[in-house]
């Protein structure tokens, strides 16, 4: 099980990422304050995102439109 908590990303528009391995929920917080909540994301997908050379590119290509999601406005 992954420990919940935001981790700094270092991407241009992504501020932080949080993953809950128990519920397979990925939280992606943008610098604007908007947070995208993605459901049924695998642990491997989370690890691939945070270890990617370009987290923003990986997120947009492999996660953004691929998983059921909702948006939390600041």
């Amino acid at each position: 099980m992954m420990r919940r908590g935001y981790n700094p990303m270092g991407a241009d528009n992504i501020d932080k990422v949080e993953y809950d391995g128990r519920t397979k929920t990925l939280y992606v917080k943008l610098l604007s304050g908007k947070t995208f909540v993605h459901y049924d994301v695998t642990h491997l997908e989370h690890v691939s995102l945070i270890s990617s050379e370009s987290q923003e590119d990986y997120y947009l290509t492999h996660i953004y439109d691929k998983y059921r999601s909702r948006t939390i406005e600041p």
Side-chain angles (χ1 to χ4, degrees), residues 19-31:
Y19 182 72
D20 184 338
R22 187 179 51 78
T23 63
K24 297 184 177 180
T25 304
L26 180 72
Y27 302 83
V28 179
K29 182 179 180 184
L30 304 182
L31 292 173

Side-chain angles (χ1 to χ4, degrees), residues 2 17 19-21 24-26 40-52 58 62-63 67:
M2 293 293 298
V17 167
Y19 182 72
D20 184 338
K24 297 184 177 180
T25 304
L26 180 72
D40 299 318
V41 177
T42 65
H43 173 68
L44 178 60
E45 195 78 90
H46 170 246
V47 170
S48 296
L49 170 64
I50 63 173
S51 63
S52 176
Y58 188 92
H62 298 281
I63 297 172
Y67 293 91

